[in-house]
Structures are given as C-alpha cells and as structure tokens.
Amino acid sequence: MSLFLPFLIHLIPSYDDASWGPRLLPIFYAPVIAAFLYRPHVSLILAVAPLTLNHLITGRPPAAFAFQLSFELLVFTALARCFVWKQLPCWIIGPAAYVLGKPVMVLVLFLISGLPGSGEPISWALHSLLLAVPGVCILGLIGYVVSKTPRHGT
C-alpha cells in the first residue's frame, strides 16, 4: 500500500497543474495506520522506505524532494506516535500530525537551502496546507475507521 497507492494516485489526471498526491496525501496513509496498530519501527520504516525505493527504482521523485518528503514523513510519524501514546481522539491524530509538522518543515527549509520550497518556506507551507485539505480530512477518516476496527486479542 505504501509503495503503490501513491504511484496509482499520481496516475489520475488532474484538472490543474497540481497532481493528486499533494491533495490526497496517499504517502501518509500507511505510516498513520502503522502508528495506530504497530510498534514504532514499522511506522518509521513506512515513512522512509517508499520514497527511497521509488527514487531508486524510477528516479522519481528527485533526490531533493524525496529527502524533504521523507523528513516530513518522519516528523509526521513521530508526532502521530506521540499523539497515539497521549491517547488523543483517533480522528484528530493524522490531521494534527500533518498540520503541526508543517512548522517543523518551515524550520528545515530555512536551514537547508536547495530543497523544494526553501526559497519561501512560509508560503510553501501555507500553499501545501491549503492544497492538502482533502487529504487531511482523509487522514482523520482513517483514524476514525482504525479506531472502530476490532483488533485481534481484544
């Protein structure tokens, strides 16, 4: 899911210049599910492996973008794991981790030049947040569904 769903989402034709990936955030689905259901190392692997494998196999995304998005996924996963541990409502964990991860990424973009968005990190963050509203809602829906799904041993 973590490797192929983002690839399939990017194949959907878009009605403007932004692809569906930044809108629907499919690369974030597996790490947030893993944050709910598995040990920390699983969600961390799912945060880094898909982009690295896609870059090695297809050359896409470009190295700078793969690094940036992998770092963003690591921040997202760390926040989601923290929120799961703090027992926040499940439907808020994914959206909160995504939104609260953006200020961290702004700081990273201020510190590391050459990454996409590093020229104007604040406008990059605001644009990506506005573009990702449907995906943020999907992250909330995933949390809700996972919380209602019976688990083995319970």
Side-chain angles (χ1 to χ4, degrees):
M1 176 176 136
S2 184
L3 188 60
F4 294 111
L5 183 61
F7 179 75
L8 293 174
I9 294 291
H10 282 287
L11 292 177
I12 300 170
S14 180
Y15 57 87
D16 61 7
D17 61 345
S19 69
W20 285 101
R23 284 189 177 103
L24 300 179
L25 307 175
I27 197 81
F28 290 84
Y29 301 169
V32 78
I33 292 169
F36 285 115
L37 301 177
Y38 302 106
R39 294 179 186 249
H41 70 280
V42 175
S43 52
L44 293 174
I45 289 169
L46 289 171
V48 176
L51 288 162
T52 304
L53 288 172
N54 271 337
H55 179 74
L56 292 174
I57 293 169
T58 67
R60 306 280 307 155
F65 183 72
F67 171 79
Q68 176 184 347
L69 190 51
S70 292
F71 191 83
E72 185 172 3
L73 280 163
L74 284 171
V75 170
F76 169 81
T77 300
L79 287 169
R81 298 261 349 145
C82 179
F83 296 155
V84 167
W85 181 71
K86 292 280 190 182
Q87 299 181 345
L88 279 145
C90 292
W91 61 270
I92 197 76
I93 290 173
Y98 183 80
V99 171
L100 294 176
K102 285 299 179 187
V104 175
M105 289 310 298
V106 167
L107 179 62
V108 168
L109 292 177
F110 272 122
L111 296 175
I112 303 174
S113 63
L115 295 177
S118 63
E120 294 190 28
I122 294 172
S123 65
W124 166 83
L126 292 174
H127 174 73
S128 62
L129 281 170
L130 289 174
L131 192 62
V133 168
V136 170
C137 293
I138 292 171
L139 290 172
L141 182 62
I142 288 170
Y144 177 78
V145 169
V146 169
S147 74
K148 299 299 180 191
T149 304
R151 297 191 181 100
H152 297 291
T154 58

